[in-house]
Amino acid sequence: MNFEIKNYHEPALDVSELATLGLGQMAYVKPIESDEVARLFPQAPKLQPGMRLFALLSASGEPILLTDNHDAAVANAWAHDLTMVSLH
């Protein structure tokens, strides 16, 4: 088998275009520990260490919602017409 590999000198998207891709349209749920909350949600009160929580984040990683229930995070995304995406 022969495969032709093409190298493009210019990226398909520049950094600013990539940063806004899906903004206002896509979101993802990220499981986090309560110890990480202050970094994403600086206005949140101090929480008991070791709690498992779920953050709903925009396509750019901006925090939208913090909850202790995965389904609540997904429902909030749907309520705001955000398409849920999976990160790997």
Side-chain angles (χ1 to χ4, degrees):
M1 262 192 246
N2 291 331
F3 293 99
E4 184 177 334
I5 298 174
K6 295 184 181 196
N7 293 320
Y8 295 97
H9 292 90
E10 293 186 30
L13 296 173
D14 68 26
V15 174
S16 63
E17 291 171 322
L18 187 59
T20 60
L21 189 65
L23 210 53
Q25 299 170 344
M26 290 187 244
Y28 62 96
V29 175
K30 177 180 180 179
I32 64 171
E33 296 290 325
S34 56
D35 305 340
E36 301 173 71
V37 170
R39 183 178 54 83
L40 288 172
F41 298 88
Q43 72 281 12
K46 188 166 173 84
L47 299 172
Q48 179 181 353
M51 293 174 60
R52 183 174 170 96
L53 302 167
F54 299 91
L56 177 64
L57 304 171
S58 72
S60 66
E62 292 295 316
I64 298 171
L65 172 87
L66 180 66
T67 182
D68 63 349
N69 184 296
H70 182 273
D71 292 339
V74 172
N76 189 278
W78 289 343
H80 291 93
D81 295 323
L82 297 170
T83 300
M84 293 297 299
V85 295
S86 177
L87 297 180
H88 298 279

